């Protein structure tokens, strides 16, 4: 997995998948990879959709990913000579039903961003973070991992490092640029300085991240999530996650006529198939336009 350039979160997910599979095999008395039969793999796949004891039923997408993990493990075992065959070859992961991603109406986005932060250094950071997330459609991990030298405010672009180490250039809109400028001039230096004072005689480690915490260190994904949750609470919005902003970014682009392949590049999707789900979100918009425009609609 490391050779494939997968992210740390993806590797951790695969590890959990295989740990669950190993426990299941041991419970059935299978202690050697060479002793696994195709029916065992099929039974394991079926068990993922059931609730038994401490094991909970998985969502369709999680169950499908777990079967993919098991298939990859058995291919590896065959390649390394740990087994004479691949018992998982004929077991296909179930295709999860397409679930429309949640996108906020633009009016809710405006309320959310208006509720983010104040004129304090932390408040300027919070506002800049949420404007950046919605203005670029980046993942939360991409935003908190962003370095200063990856921002090019002159050309209004940012270089984002996504899954698998793939880089892409994403334009920065005026709202995000203004919020970032205020934060970088008046917010971030104050947070870095506060961190230096609290360190005392101990020299603080150099930090080149754009978004920093109150002690001047790199901001974590959990802290960034908290920023969004607090802003959503003040705006009276429920069920908002960092991915909600990413979904809203893509949906609003497509609703306003952006080509799906351009949106694919902006989001950093390896396949346009992943991006095409956003075209389904606009069905309500199409229905509304039809109802108000066609002479025989009503």
């Amino acid at each position: 997995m490391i050779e494939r350039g997968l992210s740390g979160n993806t590797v951790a997910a695969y590890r959990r998948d295989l740990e669950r599979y190993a426990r299941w095999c041991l419970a059935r008395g299978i202690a050697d990879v060479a002793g696994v039969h195709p029916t065992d793999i099929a039974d394991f796949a079926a068990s993922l959709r059931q609730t038994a004891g401490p094991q909970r039923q998985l969502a369709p997408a999680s169950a499908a990913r777990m079967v993919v993990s098991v298939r990859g493990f058995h291919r590896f075992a065959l390649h390394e000579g740990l087994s004479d065959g691949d018992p998982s070859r004929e077991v296909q992961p179930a295709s999860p039903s397409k679930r429309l991603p949640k996108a906020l109406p633009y009016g809710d986005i405006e309320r959310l961003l208006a509720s983010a932060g104040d004129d304090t250094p932390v408040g300027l950071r919070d506002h800049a973070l949420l404007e950046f997330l919605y203005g670029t459609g980046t993942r939360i991990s991409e935003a908190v991992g962003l370095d200063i030298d990856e921002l090019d405010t002159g050309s209004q672009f940012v270089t984002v490092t996504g899954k698998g180490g793939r880089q892409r250039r994403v334009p920065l809109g005026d709202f995000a640029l203004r919020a970032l400028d205020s934060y970088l001039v008046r917010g971030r230096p104050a947070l870095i300085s506060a961190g230096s004072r609290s360190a005392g005689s101990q020299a603080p480690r150099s930090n080149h991240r754009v978004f920093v915490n109150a002690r001047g260190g790199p901001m974590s994904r959990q802290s960034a999530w908290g920023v969004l949750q607090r802003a959503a609470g003040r705006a009276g919005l429920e069920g908002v996650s960092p991915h909600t902003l990413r979904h809203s970014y893509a949906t609003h682009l497509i609703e306003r006529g952006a080509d799906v392949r351009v949106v694919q590049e902006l989001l950093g999707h390896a396949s346009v198939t992943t991006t095409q789900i956003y075209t389904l979100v606009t069905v309500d918009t199409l229905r509304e336009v039809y109802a108000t425009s066609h002479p025989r609609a009503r």
Side-chain angles (χ1 to χ4, degrees), residues 12 42-43 71 104-105 125 130 133 135 159 170 174 181 202 208 215 244 262 267 275:
D43 289 346
R71 283 167 54 89
L104 293 175
R125 179 206 64 192
L130 297 194
L133 286 171
T159 301
V170 180
D174 289 345
D181 183 64
Q202 181 181 1
H208 301 287
R215 297 178 302 280
T244 304
V262 174
L267 292 174
T275 316

Side-chain angles (χ1 to χ4, degrees), residues 5-12 163-164:
L6 301 181
S7 70
N9 291 333
T10 302
V11 172
K163 291 184 176 181

Side-chain angles (χ1 to χ4, degrees), residues 117-215:
D118 49 31
D119 208 39
T120 65
V122 169
L124 292 171
R125 179 206 64 192
D126 293 353
H127 185 216
L129 173 65
L130 297 194
E131 285 281 7
F132 181 82
L133 286 171
Y134 175 67
T136 61
T138 47
R139 303 174 179 91
I140 190 72
S141 58
E142 295 170 343
V144 298
L146 188 70
D147 283 349
I148 288 289
D149 59 5
E150 293 173 325
L151 274 178
D152 186 352
T153 55
S155 65
Q156 299 190 12
F157 271 88
V158 58
T159 301
V160 179
T161 303
K163 291 184 176 181
R166 294 188 297 270
Q167 288 192 328
R168 65 188 189 278
R169 281 172 57 81
V170 180
L172 287 164
D174 289 345
F175 284 86
L177 277 170
R178 285 197 294 269
L180 281 168
D181 183 64
S182 296
Y183 163 62
L184 293 175
V185 171
R186 297 187 287 124
R188 187 177 183 277
L191 296 177
I192 295 290
S193 177
S196 299
R197 289 195 301 270
S198 65
S201 59
Q202 181 181 1
R205 289 179 295 179
S206 177
N207 177 21
H208 301 287
R209 295 287 170 83
V210 172
F211 297 106
V212 300
N213 59 32
R215 297 178 302 280

Side-chain angles (χ1 to χ4, degrees), residues 65-83:
R65 187 204 65 221
M66 192 166 290
V67 173
V68 169
S69 300
V70 170
R71 283 167 54 89
F73 167 72
H74 281 286
R75 284 196 300 270
F76 171 80
L78 176 62
H79 182 267
E80 295 295 313
L82 301 176
S83 65

